[in-house]
Amino acid sequence: MERLGNYESDLNLKATELRLGLPGRDEPEKQTTTTGVIIRSNKRASPEISQEYSRCNSNNSSVSDAANDDQDSAPPSKVQVVGWPPIRSYRKNTLQQKKNESDSAGMYVKVSMDGAPYLRKIDLKVYKCYPELLEALENMFKLTIGEYSEREGYNGSDYAPTYEDKDGDWMLVGDVPFDMFITSCKRLRIMKGSEARGLGSCV
Amino acid sequence: MESTRSLSFPDKVRERVFAHLTSPEDRSSVSLVCKSWYDAERLSRTRVSIRNCYSVSPEILVRRFPNIRGVSLKGKPRFSDFNLVPSDWGADVHAWLVAFADRCPLLEELSLKRMAVSDESLEFLAFSFPNFKVLSLLSCDGFTTDGLEAIATFCKNLTELDIQENGVEDRSGSWLSCFPERFTSLEVLNFSNLTSEVDFDALERLVSRCKSLKVLKVNRSVSLEQLQKLLVLAPQLVELGTGSFSLEFSAHQFAELESAFNNCKNIQSLSGLLDATVRYLPAIYPACANLTFLNLSYAAMQSDELDNLLMHCPHLQRLWVLDTVGDKGLEAVGSNCPLLEELRVFPADPFDEEIIQGVTEEGFLAVSFGCPRLHYVLYFCQQMTNAAVATIVQNCPDFTHFRLCIMNPGQPDYLTNEPMDEAFGAVVKTCTKLQRLSVSGLLTDLAFEYIGKHAKNLEVLSVAFAGSSDWGMQCVLEGCPKLSKLEIRDCPFGDAALLSGLEKYESMRSLWMSACNVTVDGCRLLATKMPRLNVEVIKDDESDDSQADKVYVYRTVAGPRRDSPPSVLAL
């Protein structure tokens, strides 16, 4: 901390020290900030809260002075308080489980195109629906893929997007709901239209 | 008969008459009239609800009511659901089972909420009560699926097994295979919250032979394809909880599923629908005509999916959703569900800092405009305004349960930056039938003044991160005549507030205060002055000894607890 000495009068060191309480205030008395987090007076905060507050302070020490001003500063990170919001542990765990599952799915997959010298990679998580994905592929490889139909696949276009699923089978992109596709797609291959025709009439 | 009585009304006749009294309040009144009425009432009582397991002892209960067939017991304070109560706090059911086995062996029904239940207890239950029919466990903990094996194996007359949201150690799904092949009496089976895979063949055979099955709620491991088979076997179902609702389906399989739902003409309640996708959700539409309860709180739906679904549910009275549906989804609720009486909106991602989503005051407003019969709401939201709440209760003045959770503690009206006092003031002034209230947001003592002044039917109040001084709590204790449960956390209420309720607590079921400014001395004083209350202080490990981190006060005729763990100080 080389900034002691000459700069001490300018630098509000108190603002950067680690302590309980939001930056910008001298005493940890009961107060509310514009963002509305209450700090209790005379109370030693529970271990969970004090941990979070320390983290909060060390992250936000740079906005310490700004926090005194209204509204313009970045809001302090949400403090996780024990048992708040009041949701039953069971429900919380189930939702957390679902979130973890969905976070670990959705990933980068390799995309190959017949005749192209090297492969590309895309992050499937970025796309919300098939049209978005197909548009991205069209842009990436400078080609047109055309319209999907359940009966005929991508009939009428030069290329058809296919993918390898979890079971190792090659499937036509578009047959299953998008969310299901995302979780089962291992890699993509853009096939020349003539080869793909066989896939389109599978159902 | 006795010569001292000029008119001796035969006791047996009195008992037969009283057997028709079902309401516990009526029975209570009747038992106070005179000794012979007291006896007739107690001997004809078949069901009893103990809302705080420590308010009375098992011995007292079985001595007074020797002929009970059904018991419901609630144990831990509600905040144990949110990890605020140590796991060894108590509320063990075993002593109750022992007393019942001794004096009431004909016991048929047991409903437990927030009790500690072990596998040994479940085994003991299975062996001790030959007529046992109904077991319901909600928010309990301490047992594993091994305990369920005993129930399935030995309760030959079981009609109901309902396992909901418990802290159960899920070791395997083999318990389901323990129902004997000749067992056919099941009417209710709910294992939706267990995770282990069950043997589907065993489940299929069970459903097939239990012709009276009315309620079936399966868990995630049961696939859509398997569900279709179960529906074909049990078209008489009234309540259905599906498992995972996504699969790679051919058009033919979809048609079969749709047809199976079409044959279920009696479904009134639907839940589960985990991972439901737009593609397959329409399969359930044919079964929605008579739907009164739809629980989507484990299905992360978007607004348009919800809209499409609700169009098929004209008679919906109760709806539970995740806030993924957004305000737009709630607009769809307002448009499609004119008969709606209850709405619960749960947060899908309450702890994620990055996601700014969920619902706001707009969604709640939209529902209130479209659903004038709304009287029960549980609403988790990111922001709220005083004006919105005032309009909401104007639209829906019949609220009996108003539970609003603005998720950021102590957050003011986001438009005016004022406290949310006026919002809850509007609620208590307008909703004269209000029985249960949960408050949130930035609140001063004014909010509590309003509550004390107007909430004359209020029975349960939950408060968190609110209030300015002791005065707030005092207003509530002095003003709400029907107050039964008061639970408070993280508020600046101290000993003066605690002691202001001295005369009130005996007419209440319980008081909980945690992370407030109450001291052990204050609690001790309360305990000394009011010997018929149990005053318990739960200590946090690191706090100083003078602060009472968590206080639980309740009336009791059983005297002080004898099973307190070391972390609980009984004063």
Side-chain angles (χ1 to χ4, degrees):
Chain A
M1 275 284 185
E2 284 307 308
R3 293 186 281 174
L4 297 174
N6 284 346
Y7 294 125
E8 203 171 66
S9 51
D10 294 336
L11 199 67
N12 185 358
L13 281 177
K14 258 193 146 7
T16 56
E17 78 178 286
L18 283 181
R19 56 178 173 80
L20 297 176
L22 283 185
R25 300 287 189 141
D26 277 329
E27 276 136 89
E29 61 186 331
K30 181 164 177 349
Q31 59 194 279
T32 59
T33 65
T34 49
T35 50
V37 178
I38 291 188
I39 301 150
R40 288 173 272 109
S41 59
N42 302 330
K43 294 294 293 173
R44 171 205 61 79
S46 69
E48 295 81 3
I49 301 182
S50 51
Q51 252 175 343
E52 293 295 327
Y53 273 133
S54 311
R55 218 178 62 180
C56 174
N57 272 331
S58 58
N59 284 343
N60 291 329
S61 52
S62 56
V63 297
S64 54
D65 287 315
N68 257 332
D69 307 332
D70 276 341
Q71 316 295 11
D72 292 337
S73 58
S77 21
K78 255 191 223 164
V79 174
Q80 265 204 46
V81 176
V82 174
W84 188 265
I87 305 168
R88 277 207 189 125
S89 319
Y90 171 79
R91 182 176 287 280
K92 218 166 60 177
N93 294 340
T94 309
L95 292 173
Q96 196 55 41
Q97 202 179 55
K98 273 178 74 167
K99 190 183 172 213
N100 289 341
E101 280 170 25
S102 65
D103 276 350
S104 57
M107 56 174 90
Y108 281 92
V109 296
K110 290 184 194 170
V111 189
S112 62
M113 184 173 97
D114 293 353
Y118 51 80
L119 277 57
R120 303 297 301 272
K121 245 190 173 170
I122 57 168
D123 179 4
L124 289 180
K125 248 175 117 172
V126 163
Y127 308 102
K128 302 276 177 298
C129 59
Y130 280 125
E132 276 181 31
L133 171 64
L134 295 180
E135 194 182 325
L137 291 175
E138 284 178 332
N139 287 337
M140 192 181 260
F141 292 98
K142 307 281 181 285
L143 45 75
T144 33
I145 291 177
E147 294 247 334
Y148 167 82
S149 81
E150 209 177 313
R151 274 185 59 223
E152 296 187 333
Y154 292 90
N155 237 357
S157 81
D158 294 328
Y159 294 96
T162 65
Y163 69 101
E164 186 183 2
D165 73 1
K166 281 194 283 217
D167 302 323
D169 298 321
W170 283 94
M171 317 283 295
L172 191 68
V173 168
D175 279 344
V176 301
F178 193 71
D179 319 299
M180 205 181 289
F181 161 76
I182 294 275
T183 54
S184 58
C185 171
K186 278 171 47 193
R187 54 186 298 166
L188 283 159
R189 178 183 159 199
I190 304 187
M191 276 183 178
K192 280 249 175 53
S194 47
E195 278 188 60
R197 213 133 304 169
L199 274 181
S201 46
C202 248
V203 173
Chain B
M1 291 268 164
E2 304 75 38
S3 54
T4 44
R5 285 197 233 163
S6 46
L7 282 172
S8 51
F9 196 80
D11 294 336
K12 283 294 166 211
V13 175
R14 201 177 288 117
E15 276 174 53
R16 287 291 289 272
V17 170
F18 286 178
H20 294 281
L21 284 173
T22 45
S23 130
E25 291 78 24
D26 286 345
R27 282 186 162 272
S28 229
S29 311
V30 144
S31 68
L32 293 171
V33 169
C34 65
K35 183 87 178 40
S36 46
W37 281 45
Y38 176 88
D39 281 331
E41 192 281 312
R42 73 182 188 88
L43 293 173
S44 64
R45 173 90 75 132
T46 54
R47 313 189 60 85
V48 74
S49 277
I50 308 294
R51 297 207 163 81
N52 173 3
C53 65
Y54 286 118
S55 63
V56 66
S57 73
E59 292 74 36
I60 294 175
L61 183 72
V62 299
R63 201 166 51 228
R64 179 171 174 187
F65 300 117
N67 298 319
I68 42 175
R69 298 283 183 270
V71 177
S72 118
L73 277 170
K74 288 188 187 174
K76 304 183 193 182
R78 193 175 76 96
F79 281 1
S80 75
D81 282 347
F82 319 128
N83 298 333
L84 289 178
V85 175
S87 54
D88 61 350
W89 180 81
D92 193 328
V93 74
H94 202 81
W96 293 88
L97 295 176
V98 168
F100 293 144
D102 183 34
R103 302 285 287 263
C104 312
L106 298 179
L107 190 73
E108 295 175 2
E109 302 183 16
L110 194 59
S111 299
L112 303 178
K113 187 170 182 181
R114 293 191 200 100
M115 300 287 294
V117 181
S118 66
D119 286 344
E120 288 70 35
S121 294
L122 290 175
E123 282 159 24
F124 181 79
L125 191 159
F127 284 118
S128 309
F129 305 105
N131 275 7
F132 199 73
K133 296 197 168 85
V134 171
L135 181 62
S136 163
L137 300 173
L138 172 59
S139 210
C140 297
D141 66 337
F143 62 104
T144 78
T145 41
D146 292 352
L148 297 180
E149 283 192 16
I151 302 290
T153 310
F154 297 110
C155 295
K156 308 246 178 297
N157 296 309
L158 200 69
T159 60
E160 190 169 321
L161 183 60
D162 190 345
I163 314 290
Q164 271 194 73
E165 297 194 355
N166 298 290
V168 51
E169 190 190 319
D170 198 330
R171 291 182 180 167
S172 94
S174 55
W175 59 272
L176 190 107
S177 311
C178 291
F179 285 109
E181 286 302 317
R182 297 210 294 184
F183 169 76
T184 59
S185 49
L186 207 58
E187 295 171 23
V188 173
L189 179 61
N190 178 2
F191 62 99
S192 55
N193 297 149
L194 296 177
T195 47
S196 293
E197 192 172 336
V198 298
D199 179 346
F200 182 69
D201 284 337
L203 176 60
E204 206 176 1
R205 286 195 307 273
L206 181 66
V207 170
S208 171
R209 65 182 185 267
C210 294
K211 304 285 183 219
S212 305
L213 196 66
K214 292 278 181 302
V215 175
L216 178 64
K217 298 182 184 175
V218 300
N219 73 1
R220 193 179 214 117
S221 75
V222 174
S223 73
L224 207 48
E225 200 174 351
Q226 292 171 334
L227 178 74
Q228 189 261 334
K229 294 187 183 152
L230 295 176
L231 291 179
V232 168
L233 291 170
Q236 76 280 5
L237 286 178
V238 174
E239 292 183 29
L240 173 68
T242 76
S244 171
F245 214 82
S246 85
L247 191 68
E248 284 186 35
F249 249 16
S250 69
H252 172 64
Q253 284 170 307
F254 176 86
E256 279 191 331
L257 181 67
E258 201 178 17
S259 159
F261 271 106
N262 193 35
N263 283 334
C264 294
K265 296 293 182 207
N266 299 321
I267 291 187
Q268 291 174 16
S269 155
L270 192 56
S271 57
L273 298 171
L274 308 163
D275 315 317
T277 60
V278 176
R279 197 170 172 120
Y280 300 132
L281 210 48
I284 70 173
Y285 294 169
C288 291
N290 296 323
L291 213 58
T292 56
F293 176 36
L294 184 57
N295 180 356
L296 300 171
S297 63
Y298 291 105
M301 302 196 86
Q302 307 299 313
S303 60
D304 40 4
E305 293 168 328
L306 182 63
D307 194 5
N308 288 330
L309 174 51
L310 291 180
M311 280 196 262
H312 296 85
C313 309
H315 296 117
L316 207 59
Q317 290 171 14
R318 300 169 58 209
L319 175 65
W320 296 15
V321 291
L322 283 175
D323 64 358
T324 50
V325 303
D327 289 331
K328 202 146 170 288
L330 294 180
E331 278 170 35
V333 174
S335 321
N336 288 306
C337 306
L339 301 179
L340 199 71
E341 297 179 20
E342 173 180 328
L343 174 69
R344 301 195 196 198
V345 182
F346 295 95
D349 234 328
F351 307 114
D352 197 314
E353 295 170 13
E354 291 159 5
I355 296 185
I356 315 292
Q357 62 177 18
V359 293
T360 70
E361 78 280 9
E362 295 295 332
F364 200 168
L365 271 167
V367 175
S368 75
F369 278 111
C371 310
R373 295 196 196 183
L374 197 64
H375 69 85
Y376 190 122
V377 81
L378 170 62
Y379 200 79
F380 285 86
C381 58
Q382 302 287 351
Q383 65 193 37
M384 189 50 61
T385 68
N386 288 307
V389 176
T391 308
I392 287 163
V393 294
Q394 242 174 18
N395 294 338
C396 305
D398 296 328
F399 273 113
T400 54
H401 297 68
F402 193 92
R403 303 165 62 187
L404 177 63
C405 181
I406 303 167
M407 288 195 276
N408 203 10
Q411 183 171 295
D413 177 322
Y414 82 98
L415 285 181
T416 66
N417 244 357
E418 282 171 6
M420 296 296 296
D421 296 337
E422 294 306 318
F424 293 103
V427 172
V428 293
K429 284 176 201 165
T430 316
C431 306
T432 51
K433 300 182 202 158
L434 196 69
Q435 291 167 24
R436 182 170 178 186
L437 179 65
S438 299
V439 300
S440 59
L442 178 63
L443 295 172
T444 71
D445 285 344
L446 182 59
F448 300 102
E449 276 183 41
Y450 287 143
I451 293 172
K453 192 154 175 240
H454 298 280
K456 295 307 174 189
N457 284 315
L458 191 65
E459 295 172 20
V460 179
L461 178 64
S462 303
V463 185
F465 304 101
S468 330
S469 74
D470 288 334
W471 169 242
M473 184 168 162
Q474 225 173 303
C475 286
V476 171
L477 288 169
E478 286 168 12
C480 299
K482 295 202 186 164
L483 194 67
S484 172
K485 259 174 68 172
L486 180 56
E487 30 183 50
I488 301 173
R489 61 166 293 177
D490 294 89
C491 296
F493 305 140
D495 292 341
L498 176 71
L499 294 167
S500 71
L502 216 53
E503 322 221 312
K504 178 85 172 173
Y505 299 133
E506 271 188 15
S507 66
M508 284 171 58
R509 202 189 305 166
S510 65
L511 165 74
W512 168 279
M513 290 178 77
S514 59
C516 297
N517 290 341
V518 176
T519 68
V520 176
D521 286 341
C523 295
R524 222 184 285 277
L525 187 56
L526 175 63
T528 317
K529 295 206 164 196
M530 305 296 295
R532 282 193 302 208
L533 297 177
N534 275 359
V535 180
E536 297 180 9
V537 173
I538 303 172
K539 306 289 297 157
D540 277 343
D541 289 329
E542 295 147 37
S543 67
D544 71 77
D545 285 334
S546 66
Q547 285 297 111
D549 308 300
K550 294 170 182 166
V551 184
Y552 188 46
V553 179
Y554 55 92
R555 66 181 172 193
T556 180
V557 296
R561 278 173 69 181
R562 277 161 297 191
D563 62 351
S564 317
S567 55
V568 174
L569 181 62
L571 297 173

